[in-house]
């Protein structure tokens, strides 16, 4: 269907400009604002007072299918993505069968083909069993179908295995995307090893379990020349290691998640909604992560959307499963807590959520320019609302942002010129 989006503030490669957008054949064409040009648009949408940005891309989501349909499905997870303004997601490989061969990957690709509401590109694993220990996966055969290789949920436990993985991944031109966690340092911990854990008798996860592998892997990336990306960075040490590696010109990048930028251990409650891996860390770590996104040491924000059943999340901090949902709250909480408070600009947030992830992972789009795929998000930055998990499209409902009053609402998400989500709330 042809469409005309009129009178919006559009995020163009030159920054925000008043423009009209004509959508035809799945592509976008940028017209002067209030264009008098006649178009044959079948639908005209007045976007006065709204902004239009390149659709967000989340390089770190758990869609749980195949294998864990009771937690999430590709249909519900990508509906959540569309509702959150995302036009592209990369799905993590802790599913069953484990995508370590093309045959196993096929099961997931078939469901994506049938059910995905936004562009969905799966990860292949690094190791055969996605356990950070077994032999390497069939990277070469999977490469044409995957965004990158990751054992997310598990750290690669030896330097030798990581080096071999990097050498293999480099030949395919794909990144190694690492969940950094040295299991020998965990000792059964489940929240940050800090003041809250000590005061409330919880077992802690030390920061070193993360940064020791970031350090090892940035050195291996330097040695092998492989492209390397760090998942869900949560510690100040990891930020500094990445910053230094970038200064040396190493081919490294990293993501952090909204909850690490907005919350810290001081916000913890005895509730599964506050449990994820890595954990919420100290205020100092949170502040270092904010510095990291500001100076480019951290390249992008990903949600680590990790849905679980209500039962799995009802066992407090000690007993609940690790993981919170994030796709349907990310933009609003980041806009409210970082942009509205003057910590970063809206342009910077769009770079972190749209432009940089696509660039780094070689995914199409991320740009509003003539002839580009019409992957767009229409936002009302003046609308406030209360986060109500009962309204989520995701099956997962556990979020630390439940009940928050936030500003900035997704009105329309468009993928290849088709509307994937349109707000119907009163
Ligand atoms: O909190 C988390 N949940 N961290 C991970 O690394 C895995 C994820 C999951 O799959 O639930």
């Amino acid at each position: 269907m042809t469409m005309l989006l009129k009178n919006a503030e559009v995020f163009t490669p030159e920054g925000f400009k008043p423009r009209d957008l004509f959508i035809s054949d799945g592509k976008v064409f940028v017209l002067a604002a209030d264009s008098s040009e006649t178009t044959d648009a079948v639908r005209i949408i007045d976007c006065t007072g709204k902004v239009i940005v390149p659709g967000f891309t989340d390089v770190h989501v758990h869609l749980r299918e195949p294998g864990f349909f009771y937690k999430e499905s590709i249909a519900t997870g990508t509906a959540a993505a569309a509702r959150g303004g995302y036009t592209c997601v990369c799905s993590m490989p802790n599913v069953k069968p484990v995508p370590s061969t093309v045959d196993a990957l096929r099961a997931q690709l078939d469901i994506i083909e049938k059910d995905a509401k936004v562009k969905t590109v799966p990860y292949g694993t690094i190791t055969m069993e996605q356990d950070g220990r077994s032999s390497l996966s069939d990277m070469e055969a999977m490469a044409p179908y995957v965004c990158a290789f990751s054992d997310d949920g598990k750290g690669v436990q030896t330097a030798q295995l990581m080096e071999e993985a990097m050498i293999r991944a480099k030949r395919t031109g794909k990144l190694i995307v690492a969940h950094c966690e040295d299991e020998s340092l965990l000792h059964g911990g489940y929240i940050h090893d800090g003041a809250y854990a000590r005061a409330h008798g919880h077992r802690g996860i030390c920061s070193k379990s993360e940064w020791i592998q970031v350090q090892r892997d940035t050195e291996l990336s330097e040695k092998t020349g492989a492209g390397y990306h760090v998942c869900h960075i949560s510690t100040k040490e990891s930020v500094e290691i990445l910053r230094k590696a970038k200064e040396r010109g190493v081919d490294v990048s990293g993501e952090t998640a909204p909850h690490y930028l907005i919350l810290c251990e001081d916000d913890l409650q005895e509730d599964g909604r506050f449990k994820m891996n890595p954990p919420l860390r100290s205020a100092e770590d949170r502040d270092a992560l904010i510095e990291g996104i500001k100076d480019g040491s951290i390249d992008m924000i990903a949600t680590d959307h990790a849905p679980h059943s209500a039962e799995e999340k009802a066992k407090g901090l000690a007993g609940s499963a690790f993981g919170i949902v994030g796709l349907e709250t990310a933009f609003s909480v980041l806009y409210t807590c970082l942009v509205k408070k003057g910590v970063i600009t809206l342009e910077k947030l769009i770079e972190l959520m749209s432009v940089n992830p696509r660039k780094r992972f070689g995914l199409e789009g991320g740009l509003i320019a003539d002839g580009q795929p019409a992957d767009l998000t229409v936002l009302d930055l003046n609308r406030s609302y209360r986060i109500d998990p009962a309204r989520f499209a995701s099956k997962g409902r556990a979020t630390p942002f439940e009940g928050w009053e936030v500003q900035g609402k997704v009105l329309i998400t468009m993928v290849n010129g088709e509307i994937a989500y349109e707000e119907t709330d009163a």
Side-chain angles (χ1 to χ4, degrees):
M1 195 214 304
T2 52
M3 262 183 274
L4 186 65
L5 307 178
K6 282 190 77 69
N7 299 322
E9 280 293 313
V10 177
F11 184 90
T12 72
E14 294 80 43
F16 279 102
K17 304 278 178 198
R19 294 283 185 267
D20 287 359
L21 297 179
F22 181 58
I23 315 295
S24 175
D25 269 342
K27 304 276 191 285
V28 62
F29 298 90
V30 183
L31 309 177
D34 209 7
S35 170
S36 54
E37 280 181 57
T38 48
T39 66
D40 57 353
V42 170
R43 183 174 173 197
I44 297 176
I45 303 175
D46 180 15
C47 294
T48 306
K50 314 294 187 295
V51 302
I52 302 183
V53 299
F56 307 136
T57 286
D58 192 340
V59 301
H60 195 137
V61 304
H62 296 271
L63 297 180
R64 306 299 193 202
E65 226 187 344
F68 302 94
F69 186 84
Y70 74 96
K71 293 177 194 270
E72 189 75 294
S73 68
I74 285 169
T76 56
T78 57
R83 189 164 179 271
Y86 290 88
T87 54
C88 181
V89 295
C90 300
S91 60
M92 279 299 177
N94 52 347
V95 292
K96 274 209 168 58
V98 172
S100 51
T101 65
V102 171
D103 273 355
L105 186 63
R106 183 72 55 202
Q108 194 186 150
L109 289 169
D110 287 348
I111 310 173
I112 289 171
E113 174 80 27
K114 187 166 61 71
D115 289 347
K117 294 174 173 50
V118 303
K119 292 176 180 174
T120 304
V121 194
Y123 279 89
T125 57
I126 296 173
T127 63
M128 283 308 281
E129 307 298 330
Q130 190 254 318
D131 59 359
R133 296 172 186 275
S134 48
S135 58
L136 293 176
S137 69
D138 195 355
M139 291 185 189
E140 293 77 6
M142 288 192 292
Y145 310 102
V146 299
C147 59
F149 301 105
S150 180
D151 269 6
D152 185 58
K154 292 281 179 187
V156 173
Q157 294 303 309
T158 68
Q160 190 193 341
L161 191 58
M162 184 51 108
E163 184 170 346
E164 283 167 18
M166 284 189 180
I167 292 167
R168 292 263 304 273
K170 187 185 173 200
R171 285 194 213 122
T172 72
K174 302 277 174 181
L175 300 172
I176 288 285
V177 175
H179 170 117
C180 288
E181 186 169 39
D182 183 328
E183 289 170 9
S184 70
L185 301 175
L186 291 182
H187 312 301
Y190 46 84
I191 62 168
H192 176 56
D193 185 12
Y196 185 94
R198 284 194 296 278
H200 295 84
H202 287 296
R203 272 196 248 152
I205 301 176
C206 65
S207 295
K208 190 175 179 185
S209 62
E210 175 181 294
W211 64 255
I212 195 79
Q213 289 200 348
V214 179
Q215 186 162 56
R216 176 198 74 186
D217 294 352
T218 49
E219 284 165 13
L220 288 173
S221 167
E222 189 163 21
K223 181 174 171 192
T224 60
Y228 173 73
H229 176 85
V230 190
C231 291
H232 41 54
I233 296 171
S234 70
T235 73
K236 58 183 190 302
E237 292 87 353
S238 301
V239 181
E240 188 55 24
I241 293 164
L242 213 55
R243 181 177 289 127
K244 292 265 161 56
K246 286 186 170 196
E247 281 166 14
R248 299 198 303 277
V250 188
D251 186 7
V252 293
S253 58
E255 75 198 31
T256 190
H259 40 284
Y260 305 119
L261 293 165
I262 292 166
L263 305 171
C264 69
E265 63 175 335
D266 307 343
D267 300 299
L268 282 171
Q269 295 177 26
E270 296 295 321
D271 187 323
R273 294 186 296 116
F274 292 82
K275 182 170 177 181
M276 73 295 288
N277 188 22
L280 297 177
R281 297 201 184 271
S282 69
E284 229 186 314
D285 290 299
R286 180 202 55 204
D287 294 348
L289 293 167
I290 291 173
E291 268 319 298
I293 57 167
K294 282 167 95 171
D295 72 10
S297 302
I298 296 176
D299 304 74
M300 63 195 79
I301 300 175
T303 65
D304 195 4
H305 178 83
H308 294 284
S309 70
E311 199 187 1
E312 288 167 322
K313 292 300 288 178
K315 297 172 185 161
L317 283 176
S320 292
F322 286 108
I324 56 167
V325 292
L327 286 166
E328 293 171 82
T329 52
F331 177 76
S332 305
V333 295
L334 291 164
Y335 181 71
T336 305
C337 299
L338 298 185
V339 178
K340 286 288 288 175
K341 291 189 177 156
V343 180
I344 57 171
T345 62
L346 178 60
E347 286 85 346
K348 177 73 181 179
L349 183 58
I350 304 309
E351 280 168 23
L352 290 161
M353 294 182 73
S354 297
V355 180
N356 298 352
R358 295 210 190 200
K359 234 189 244 168
R360 178 62 172 159
F361 280 70
L363 303 162
E364 67 165 22
L367 208 61
I368 302 182
D370 284 346
Q372 287 288 317
D375 293 353
L376 313 169
T377 302
V378 183
L379 301 165
D380 185 345
L381 298 179
N382 298 313
R383 275 273 290 283
S384 297
Y385 70 101
R386 209 174 141 272
I387 292 175
D388 177 6
R391 301 188 83 119
F392 285 172
S394 172
K395 293 185 191 181
R397 299 288 149 93
T399 166
F401 303 115
E402 176 174 348
W404 282 33
E405 194 68 28
V406 288
Q407 192 177 324
K409 201 157 203 292
V410 174
L411 299 184
I412 294 174
T413 305
M414 188 184 286
V415 180
N416 283 336
E418 302 288 332
I419 288 185
Y421 169 78
E422 188 162 9
E423 193 226 34
T424 51
D425 300 357

